[in-house]
């Protein structure tokens, strides 16, 4: 029966998984799109962690990055506009054994999905949320998104985006019960990999803001931080994300930041120059709603039926 532990506790013989075991359909993103790098990082993490493909779940909403589940050889759910997070929460509540990767864009998460974003962070269910931020609606061909820079010309604002852009990290760090917040960039595969790996290891909802290049519609928006490594500030700390030597060598502008310091993390999130990359915040003590939804998961079908009948008997007339 769907949702019972016996469904996923079958004995499976030991296997070794290669990258090919996680490769789904041929990615149809534009050449040089940053989404390719994120897909590759997630596939490498799955391979390096030897997660059986049938234990991997990719969930998305709508947008270019939301094509992610199609390109993973794993379970996938390509949801509706802004709805990746409630779908992922539903899956988490019945399948605690799955490793959930949520792909969502700046339009998908920060606009139509904003209500879900707030509550998913508060629910803190175990999943890795990747915000692919390319500063534009790419799939629908260049409309202003919540993170489009002021003055940037789009189809909806040909004379330039009018409002100040929303800061996804500042917002996330303001939500109740936030437990993991990090930022990385698609053009540094090592840092991207290490950040997503740390997010994957975190128990709870890990939110990773990824600066993602869209050479088709927002070419050059990240040039200043991509071409000048000093414009990025690498966060380091013994409790943070380990920076591999090539990453530490590249980003000389470094800051010792204790990820348990929420006020410090909020200050870092506010700063656009330099732009902090690495782990801004981690709280291992935040409450997990999946512990609540997991109650009764070990019950047999008979025990569930008995419990349900008892509950219904209360309404007998
Ligand atoms: Fe990537 Fe932009 Fe092309 Fe979408 S439009 S696939 S975000 S490069």
């Amino acid at each position: 029966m769907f949702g019972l532990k016996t469904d996923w506790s079958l004995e499976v013989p030991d296997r070794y998984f290669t990258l090919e075991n996680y490769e789904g359909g041929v990615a149809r993103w534009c050449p040089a799109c940053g989404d390719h790098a994120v897909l590759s990082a997630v596939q490498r993490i799955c391979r390096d962690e030897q997660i059986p493909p049938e234990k991997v779940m990719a969930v998305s909403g709508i947008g270019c990055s939301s094509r992610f589940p199609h390109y993973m050889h794993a379970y996938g759910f390509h949801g509706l506009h802004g709805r990746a997070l409630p779908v992922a929460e539903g899956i988490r509540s019945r399948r605690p054994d799955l490793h959930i990767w949520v792909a969502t864009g700046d339009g998908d998460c920060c606009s139509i999905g904003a209500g879900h974003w707030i509550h998913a962070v508060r629910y803190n269910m175990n999943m890795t949320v990747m915000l692919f931020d390319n500063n534009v609606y790419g799939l629908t061909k260049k409309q202003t998104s919540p993170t489009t820079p002021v003055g940037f010309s789009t189809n909806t604002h040909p004379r330039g985006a009018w409002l100040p852009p929303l800061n996804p990290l500042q917002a996330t760090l303001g939500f109740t019960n936030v437990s993991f917040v990090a930022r990385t960039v698609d053009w540094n595969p090592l840092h991207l990999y290490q950040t997503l790996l740390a997010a994957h290891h975190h128990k709870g909802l890990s939110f990773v803001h990824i600066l993602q290049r869209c050479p088709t519609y927002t070419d050059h928006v990240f040039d200043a931080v991509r071409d000048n490594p000093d414009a990025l500030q690498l966060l380091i700390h013994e409790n943070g994300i380990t920076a591999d030597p090539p990453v530490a060598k590249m980003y000389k502008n470094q800051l010792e930041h204790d990820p348990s310091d929420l006020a410090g993390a909020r200050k870092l999130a506010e700063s656009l120059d330099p732009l902090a990359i690495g782990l801004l915040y981690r709280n291992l003590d935040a409450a997990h709603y999946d512990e609540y939804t997991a109650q009764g998961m070990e019950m047999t079908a008979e025990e569930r039926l008995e419990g349900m009948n008892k509950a219904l008997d209360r309404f007998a007339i």
Side-chain angles (χ1 to χ4, degrees), residues 28-35 64-65 134 136 138-139 212-218:
R28 299 198 187 281
W29 292 309
C30 305
C33 173
D35 294 359
C64 289
S65 57
N134 60 5
V136 77
L139 191 71
Q212 178 246 312
R213 289 164 302 168
C214 168
T216 303
Y217 295 123
T218 48

Side-chain angles (χ1 to χ4, degrees), residues 97-170:
D97 58 316
L98 296 182
H99 299 262
I100 301 179
W101 298 88
V102 178
T104 181
D106 42 298
D108 191 57
C109 176
C110 308
S111 185
I112 195 167
H116 296 303
W117 173 27
I118 296 169
H119 294 287
V121 170
R122 178 171 161 258
Y123 277 34
N124 192 31
M125 298 172 94
N126 198 19
M127 62 183 73
T128 304
V129 179
M130 303 175 288
L131 176 64
F132 294 63
D133 188 358
N134 60 5
N135 291 184
V136 77
Y137 283 94
L139 191 71
T140 45
K141 307 202 184 306
K142 206 181 183 185
Q143 286 87 31
T144 303
S145 90
T147 63
T148 305
V150 169
F152 188 87
S153 173
T154 66
N155 291 338
T156 43
H157 294 90
R159 285 180 287 162
W162 191 253
L163 295 171
L166 185 150
N167 180 327
L169 288 194
Q170 238 187 334

Side-chain angles (χ1 to χ4, degrees), residues 117-118 121 167-178 181 262 265-266 269 281:
W117 173 27
I118 296 169
V121 170
N167 180 327
L169 288 194
Q170 238 187 334
T172 307
L173 284 162
F175 300 155
T176 304
N177 207 38
V178 58
V181 174
L262 181 58
R266 285 176 173 157
Y281 184 64

Side-chain angles (χ1 to χ4, degrees), residues 13-77:
D14 283 344
R15 293 167 285 168
Y16 179 80
F17 303 106
T18 64
L19 272 182
E20 287 72 29
N21 291 119
Y22 304 98
E23 289 174 358
V26 176
R28 299 198 187 281
W29 292 309
C30 305
C33 173
D35 294 359
H36 294 283
V38 183
L39 175 68
S40 161
V42 172
Q43 288 171 337
R44 281 187 294 131
I45 288 169
C46 291
R47 188 268 319 266
D48 296 347
E49 299 282 297
Q50 284 296 292
I51 310 171
E54 69 270 19
K55 296 291 180 186
V56 178
M57 180 81 208
V59 185
S60 67
I62 294 290
C64 289
S65 57
S66 288
R67 295 197 54 78
F68 193 91
H70 297 276
Y71 307 143
M72 289 287 292
H73 181 67
Y75 285 116
F77 196 117

